[in-house]
Amino acid sequence: FRRTDNTVMINRLSKSSVFAIVSFGTSVLTRASCARTLWVRVSPPPLESPMSNVLKTVFLFSALAGLLIAFGWAMGGIWPYVMGVFALVMNLGAWYFSDRIVLRMHNAEEISARDAPRLHAMVADLARSAEIPMPRLYRIPDPAPNAFATGRDPAHGVVAVTDGILRILDERELRGVIAHELAHIKNQIGRAHV
């Protein structure tokens, strides 16, 4: 690609390659397609930090706990305390175990460097570029093409890919998808959801 000011010209790249550009430092894309050339206007990154994502998660967990306690309060008796304990256990479980829960739901298996050396090398290279620790890699036995990232912080990051996405995408496209998932990890977006 060629860059002038904040406009990037991309020739014959797939959408996943555009995702790689989006993932590392841009927020809004406006496209004007002409023949085989894709002009992409790149805006500056948002004024949002990973810390604001942490605050959003804390706010959502607190709001859920408040709703449960209010429901318990409406029931009367010891129910506010029961619901408060339930909310605490549920929030701590979601914070610390959400990655394991979602991986178990999808019957994911960890991919070792011995099983997929090229995939591991690709993810290690992208993680190094994103300046985050190497996430754990998982394979989901599903023919549908999909990938997601989860984990409570970059040190506990996980990237999961399905058999379908590994079969359908070429290496360059897969690199773009994984770069997108690593951006979620870097910005701490995959905490309690995927």
Side-chain angles (χ1 to χ4, degrees):
F1 59 88
R2 189 172 69 216
R3 184 179 178 126
T4 57
D5 295 317
N6 59 346
T7 302
V8 179
M9 184 180 80
I10 303 170
N11 287 316
R12 299 181 196 169
L13 289 184
S14 66
K15 290 182 181 179
S16 60
S17 298
V18 174
F19 287 145
I21 294 168
V22 172
S23 297
F24 290 109
T26 63
S27 60
V28 178
L29 292 177
T30 52
R31 297 188 278 166
S33 183
C34 301
R36 292 183 173 165
T37 303
L38 176 66
W39 288 91
V40 181
R41 182 151 181 91
V42 181
S43 71
L47 299 175
E48 195 171 303
S49 70
M51 191 61 195
S52 68
N53 290 326
V54 171
L55 292 176
K56 287 178 193 175
T57 303
V58 169
F59 172 75
L60 290 172
F61 281 3
S62 299
L64 180 60
L67 282 173
L68 288 172
I69 292 170
F71 181 70
W73 195 267
M75 292 172 56
I78 64 163
W79 284 105
Y81 304 107
V82 171
M83 294 305 252
V85 169
F86 177 70
L88 180 67
V89 168
M90 187 177 63
N91 285 341
L92 287 174
W95 183 266
Y96 287 104
F97 304 112
S98 62
D99 57 343
R100 293 179 211 150
I101 293 169
V102 75
L103 291 170
R104 247 189 226 139
M105 283 173 38
H106 292 286
N107 297 319
E109 302 166 357
E110 190 159 6
I111 303 172
S112 69
R114 188 179 70 238
D115 295 336
R118 292 178 67 190
L119 181 62
H120 263 268
M122 177 193 307
V123 174
D125 181 46
L126 289 169
R128 200 172 23 260
S129 296
E131 299 175 349
I132 60 171
M134 169 77 176
R136 291 178 295 150
L137 290 174
Y138 282 82
R139 182 188 66 81
I140 298 172
D142 188 349
N146 196 12
F148 64 84
T150 187
R152 65 181 180 268
D153 57 30
H156 296 93
V158 173
V159 173
V161 293
T162 62
D163 288 339
I165 206 165
L166 292 173
R167 189 181 75 256
I168 292 173
L169 299 184
D170 64 26
E171 190 170 334
R172 186 180 70 175
E173 292 170 330
L174 186 60
R175 190 174 178 86
V177 170
I178 291 176
H180 174 84
E181 300 308 330
L182 292 179
H184 286 303
I185 292 172
K186 182 173 183 170
N187 293 310
Q188 298 185 18
I189 296 173
R191 185 169 287 107
H193 52 79
V194 290

